[in-house]
């Protein structure tokens, strides 16, 4: 089972045609394509339509989550509707199963990492910020638990936009870390024995890290992959 992964496509209307060749090529290289959010650049439905057109050449199933950019104009539900099809699956706490591999997808959220993770403390606004991360981690945990309950010995993969560990955001300014991801997202990965997790969002981050329990974590933001020397900007993982 070959899993191709990328994140942070940031599709603009002027990008029409840019992704046709890469999507054609990845269809020959992998059995499924994961896209870890920031599908559009400004959360505009015209950008989603442009991406939808490009994805038509992709002959393998596509599994994606939305990112913060897809939420920018409050049209994320519309963007999801536009992109969703028989072959394109947008996950927000749901799962998708292919060839014995179960993929759980959430957007995730910020909150910081390890000893510097924000606590549920202080003003309501701060508590709301922390709560959003807690909720996203819960959605991920429930999706993974469902895969385990419904399918014995299934291999589990997690797809998200925000980072679950600090190692794959290293390279970004440290001041930004609390907004790039949250350690709370790593807890379900370890607890549910996920084999690999893919995320994006940290464009200047690092490609590879590991969560507790030996869970492999990959930051597949296209900028990170390009920086790492990938000519076709897709990371390939064999499960
Ligand atoms: Fe991005
Ligand atoms: Fe992002």
């Amino acid at each position: 089972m070959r899993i191709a992964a990328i994140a942070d496509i940031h599709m603009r209307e002027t990008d029409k045609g840019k992704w046709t060749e890469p999507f054609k090529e990845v269809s020959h290289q992998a059995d499924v394509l994961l896209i870890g959010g920031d599908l559009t650049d400004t959360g505009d439905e015209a950008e989603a339509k442009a991406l939808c057109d490009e994805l038509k050449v992709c002959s393998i199933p596509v599994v994606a989550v939305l990112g913060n950019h897809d939420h920018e104009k409050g049209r994320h539900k519309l963007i999801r509707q536009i992109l969703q099809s028989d072959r394109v699956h947008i996950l927000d706490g749901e799962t998708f199963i292919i060839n014995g591999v179960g993929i759980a997808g959430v957007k995730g959220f910020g909150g910081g990492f390890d000893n510097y993770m924000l606590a549920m403390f202080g003003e309501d606004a701060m508590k709301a910020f922390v709560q959003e991360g807690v909720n996203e981690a819960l959605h991920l945990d429930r999706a993974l638990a469902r895969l385990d309950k419904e399918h014995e010995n299934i291999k589990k993969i997690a797809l998200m936009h925000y980072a679950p560990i600090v190692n794959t955001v290293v390279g970004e300014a440290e001041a930004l870390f609390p907004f790039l991801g949250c350690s709370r997202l790593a807890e379900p990965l370890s607890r549910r024995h996920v084999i690999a997790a893919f995320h994006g969002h940290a464009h200047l981050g690092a490609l590879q890290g590991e969560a507790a329990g030996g869970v492999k974590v990959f930051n597949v933001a296209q900028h990170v992959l390009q920086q790492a020397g990938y000519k076709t900007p897709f990371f390939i993982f064999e499960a």
Side-chain angles (χ1 to χ4, degrees):
M1 201 15 213
R2 286 166 69 82
I3 297 168
I6 185 174
D8 299 273
I9 284 184
H10 287 265
M11 187 76 186
R12 298 191 199 114
E13 277 188 89
T14 50
D15 284 343
K16 278 175 190 161
K18 180 182 166 185
W19 288 93
T20 310
E21 277 311 310
F23 283 148
K24 263 189 203 164
E25 200 173 322
V26 79
S27 303
H28 298 298
Q29 289 178 10
D31 302 299
V32 62
L33 170 62
L34 310 185
I35 312 180
D38 283 357
L39 312 176
T40 64
D41 197 41
T42 65
D44 196 282
E45 57 257 55
E47 294 169 345
K49 279 181 192 137
L51 179 59
C52 184
D53 286 343
E54 303 283 290
L55 281 171
K56 280 177 186 150
V57 300
C58 206
S59 55
I60 54 175
V62 178
V63 182
V65 295
L66 298 184
N68 57 316
H69 280 246
D70 305 312
H71 281 250
E72 164 58 17
K73 289 181 178 160
R75 295 181 189 154
H76 45 281
K77 283 185 185 153
L78 209 54
I79 287 172
R80 185 180 181 169
Q81 270 174 25
I82 290 166
L83 289 167
Q84 194 102 267
S85 72
D86 291 349
R87 219 171 14 76
V88 180
H89 310 270
I90 311 287
L91 307 182
D92 181 17
E94 294 91 356
T95 59
F96 179 78
I97 297 169
I98 176 167
N99 298 347
V101 173
I103 301 153
V106 294
K107 177 177 62 62
F109 198 61
F113 302 99
D114 306 321
N115 293 339
Y116 299 101
M117 190 170 75
L118 288 169
M120 190 78 81
F121 184 86
E123 300 93 322
D124 288 345
M126 193 56 84
K127 285 177 181 156
F129 182 82
V130 173
Q131 187 65 51
E132 185 71 13
V134 171
N135 292 347
E136 288 292 309
L138 267 174
H139 288 152
L140 176 60
D141 193 56
R142 282 193 200 127
L144 291 168
R146 235 172 16 247
L147 284 173
D148 271 335
K149 198 175 163 202
E150 290 165 14
H151 310 271
E152 213 175 317
N153 296 327
I154 194 167
K155 284 183 185 169
K156 293 179 292 298
I157 296 273
L159 176 65
M160 57 194 95
H161 182 57
Y162 286 80
I165 60 168
V166 73
N167 305 61
T168 48
V169 306
V170 169
E172 295 274 3
E174 265 188 61
L176 285 176
F177 283 11
F179 310 102
L180 296 176
C182 185
S183 293
R184 286 188 179 90
L185 292 166
E187 289 163 17
L189 305 180
S190 307
R191 188 182 314 128
R192 305 288 176 190
H193 306 290
V194 164
I195 55 170
F198 301 90
H199 73 88
H201 191 48
H203 295 192
L204 302 176
L207 176 61
Q208 193 166 346
E210 205 173 281
V215 181
K216 291 190 176 77
V217 177
F218 300 96
N219 176 355
V220 291
Q222 61 156 322
H223 320 70
V224 171
L225 295 177
Q226 274 157 8
Q227 191 65 30
Y230 284 72
K231 291 219 170 59
T232 331
F234 297 102
F235 182 78
I236 306 276
F237 179 82
E238 299 209 17

